[in-house]
Amino acid sequence: MVKAMVNIKIVQGRREIGGNCIRIEDKDKVLIFDQGIRFSIFRRYFTRNIEPLGIPELRKLQIIPSEEVFENADSIYITHFHLDHLGLLQNLPVKSKIKIPSMRIFNLFERWYQFSSSWLKYVPPRYSTQISEVELMKSDENNVVAIPVKHSAYPSYGYLYFGSDETVFYTGDFRLTSIVNENSGLEMYETSVIEYFEDNRDLKIDTLIIEGTNFGRIITPIEKNTIKSIIERMADEMMIFAVHPLEIELILLVIMELKKLDKKIVIACERLAEFLDENIKQLSEAKAILDDIFVLIDTVTKGVIFNSIDILSIESEPTKYAVIVNVRRIIDSLRLFDIEKIPLGSPVILLTSEPFEEEEVHREEILLRWLNYYGFQPYRARISGHYYPFEFKTIIKTLKPKKIIPIHTRRPELMYELFSRII
Ligand SMILES: [Zn+2]
């Protein structure tokens, strides 16, 4: 028997959610896909008071991949900017070649985290690394093609690798639910995974490395119409939305719906405003949607292109407004208001996709305690960033892989079993 040349090693993420890292060796070529932080372990060792001592300690605790993982690597491909995939770029050896989904968003992250007093300062890479943006749907020097996928971080990609004796597709994280579509006048995706493989029927995948986050989890498969209806029904209230800045699709959907109700929309934290600003530059169609929104002048100090408004104007007619804020900054933003002037029981709608399992240590009960203290009413409207298990069959039937390797899941056996029954 001829020895296989493509050798896939799942370094991290085999039976856990978060911390993906894959090493593919093929003759003398070595490719790495994602190098995320394993928050499941991180959370057990660190708090606000106990910070990581540095990269070496994080490696020893097996929270990030060790040095050997990157040995002789030609390129490191990142699927999206969630930290359980992007990881700490300072972990990468000098002169590494890193391929990322968006240079603009990367620059923003670098600026935000560079001088952070927490472990986030390890997110930006060292100076000698070569960073470049992936090219869409084109085979690069390593025979890797980036294919757009829908996820709760925009933009996100899956990677197709044409190896010497095997074709491998790594999905990264993805969902099938679409949030903004062509009808909204926004062209956010050139294609999606399902469309791409439907259009390229002669493409044969040998190994599909597929995420399976939602297997075994309790989830409500809601879609965009649910969000639209929630917004309509609360039209008379001063609505406050807690979002994750990378969920640009969801933010655009909310803004479009609020505009139909003639709400004045206020972005109440700096980073979210900067983020939207960057997205406008990249997505020209978003300009029309975002051109009449406001930023709260009391929180946003850096120059962004939006109109500004102050707290007093909102307090004078609160129900004319809807406030959108980064979930991490929500209490800080609400504290700026004279709470007496905000109608008691105003809704705070938590729109963040996942329970932060994949992004750091977040104590939702503390957030809820504060909302209660101030008399706000919390609601949850969560659209998962991951496909639902009932969609697995469609994915397998479209991609037709010879075999699968489950990743980013707690139920790999279930996925293998389901796969064997579908094919
Ligand atoms: Zn993700």
Side-chain angles (χ1 to χ4, degrees), residues 159-208:
Y159 291 111
L160 186 60
Y161 170 55
F162 296 99
S164 54
D165 61 350
E166 202 178 308
T167 300
V168 182
F169 181 54
Y170 165 47
T171 63
D173 286 351
F174 75 114
R175 66 179 160 212
L176 298 190
T177 316
S178 79
I179 294 181
V180 293
N181 53 21
E182 307 72 48
N183 312 340
S184 60
L186 273 172
E187 285 283 347
M188 296 186 67
Y189 299 96
E190 280 188 48
T191 185
S192 72
V193 182
I194 296 288
E195 278 167 33
Y196 183 84
F197 287 97
E198 273 174 352
D199 294 346
N200 294 279
R201 292 211 170 267
D202 47 339
L203 240 167
K204 302 271 180 272
I205 301 177
D206 296 293
T207 307
L208 173 66

Side-chain angles (χ1 to χ4, degrees), residues 35 41 52 79-80 86 93 117 122 153 167 171 173 179 190 228 246 292 315 333 337 348 373 377 394 421:
Q35 59 111 28
I41 307 177
T79 56
H80 63 283
L86 173 69
S117 57
Y122 307 123
T167 300
T171 63
D173 286 351
I179 294 181
E190 280 188 48
K228 286 185 179 181
L246 285 172
D292 49 4
E315 283 172 352
S333 302
F337 288 88
V348 172
Y373 175 76
Q377 174 57 50
T394 308
R421 292 182 193 196

Side-chain angles (χ1 to χ4, degrees), residues 22-26 29-33 72-77 142-144 161:
I22 301 158
R23 179 180 161 105
I24 297 184
E25 293 168 10
D26 185 4
K29 194 192 302 183
V30 176
L31 303 174
I32 308 290
F33 295 91
N72 302 321
D74 292 284
S75 287
I76 296 127
Y77 292 84
N142 297 315
N143 294 329
V144 173
Y161 170 55

